Amino acid sequence: MDQIAKLKEIVDGSSNIVFFGGAGVSTESGIPDFRSVDGLYNQKYDYPPETILSHTFYRSRPEEFFRFYQDKMLCLTAKPNAAHKTLARWEQEGKLKAVITQNIDGLHQMAGSREVLELHGSVLRNYCEKCGAFYDAEFMLHARGVPECEKCGGRVKPDVVLYEEGLDQNILSRAVHYISEADVLIIGGTSLVVYPAAGLIDYYRGNKLVLVNKTPTARDAAADLVVQGSIGEIFAQL
């Protein structure tokens, strides 16, 4: 039996699946990955993206932060791919309990998923740091310079976890709960190197750990099934 047939058998036999996804789920929708060869790290800026997307840089050089943010982080024309759509279908069928994602693009919700835990926030939510007023991604895309609140003039900050900032503890604890209760844990589109998110899989207690990724990951040896390839193409067959 080939790997995809094995994965289909695992999925068909479960009603308690949790999916944990990383950048690879979004790159197939045309959203650039930080670490890939053609990703953001290899494009020319005065500072590396990890520096620009840090809390310190956001505070000290907001103009440069927002120039990069508008240019590289707001991919508002992207559409869900087969992986997003398959996960949404599984949830509707009662098979999938939650999607836990490191992505910030909102594509899972666009595809129809409801229980989505966004570990790193979302570019679709932005709030004034002074009065808390909400702004959408279109507002951020078209803002000139540093986005300012139309109500109080405060700076509008994306609801995205920057480097040096902690993850939301409520979302983390919900993710731990789903993973620890899961029958099947499918991890897709991530090399499992970004912590603390990558450490979440240590809470999985089942015996159906599936890794789907284009390249080998640090946890392949521990997985019950490894499927290498394009996650969109693989999920389109499930």
Side-chain angles (χ1 to χ4, degrees):
M1 189 188 287
D2 74 358
Q3 308 304 87
I4 292 173
K6 280 185 193 163
L7 176 52
K8 192 171 191 324
E9 191 177 274
I10 289 172
V11 169
D12 289 347
S14 178
S15 58
N16 184 3
I17 302 168
V18 170
F19 178 81
F20 179 98
V25 180
S26 292
T27 50
E28 293 183 39
S29 290
I31 290 175
D33 174 17
F34 278 100
R35 290 170 182 80
S36 66
V37 173
D38 54 351
L40 296 182
Y41 280 4
N42 296 323
Q43 297 176 6
K44 296 292 174 267
Y45 275 83
D46 293 342
Y47 301 88
E50 271 184 333
T51 301
I52 298 174
L53 295 174
S54 69
H55 183 82
T56 301
F57 197 92
Y58 169 77
R59 284 273 164 248
S60 61
R61 309 177 93 107
E63 294 83 3
E64 196 151 357
F65 171 89
F66 280 109
R67 196 176 85 232
F68 180 89
Y69 182 81
Q70 286 177 322
D71 197 16
K72 296 292 172 198
M73 307 303 289
L74 294 175
C75 306
L76 304 186
T77 54
K79 295 281 185 284
N81 62 54
H84 299 106
K85 291 172 185 171
T86 299
L87 291 164
R89 190 184 83 234
W90 289 350
E91 185 182 38
Q92 284 150 14
E93 292 170 354
K95 301 179 76 59
L96 181 88
K97 298 303 180 203
V99 168
I100 301 163
T101 181
Q102 294 171 289
N103 298 328
I104 57 175
D105 47 51
L107 290 178
H108 285 292
Q109 291 93 328
M110 202 185 293
S113 289
R114 297 193 169 182
E115 187 63 4
V116 181
L117 306 186
E118 296 172 312
L119 295 173
H120 297 158
S122 173
V123 298
L124 304 183
R125 298 185 300 267
N126 307 274
Y127 298 97
C128 171
E129 292 190 322
K130 266 194 189 162
C131 75
F134 172 87
Y135 290 92
D136 64 14
E138 289 287 341
F139 172 85
M140 301 300 277
L141 186 63
H142 297 115
R144 300 228 171 146
V146 178
E148 289 185 357
C149 178
E150 292 168 343
K151 296 175 181 169
C152 76
R155 187 191 299 178
V156 180
K157 184 179 189 288
D159 188 12
V160 168
V161 179
L162 301 176
Y163 290 99
E164 305 166 346
E165 294 179 347
L167 301 192
D168 183 301
Q169 290 304 308
N170 176 44
I171 290 174
L172 265 183
S173 64
R174 284 169 62 207
V176 167
H177 169 76
Y178 276 120
I179 288 171
S180 63
E181 299 287 321
D183 170 36
V184 176
L185 177 61
I186 302 175
I187 298 173
T190 171
S191 51
L192 292 171
V193 293
V194 178
Y195 281 80
L200 284 172
I201 71 167
D202 294 331
Y203 291 95
Y204 177 60
R205 297 196 286 255
N207 60 356
K208 299 185 191 80
L209 174 63
V210 180
L211 299 184
V212 183
N213 202 40
K214 278 186 174 168
T215 54
T217 78
R219 299 296 187 98
D220 283 4
D224 300 287
L225 178 64
V226 176
V227 189
Q228 270 194 22
S230 149
I231 191 166
E233 287 170 18
I234 291 162
F235 272 53
Q237 301 173 60
L238 299 174

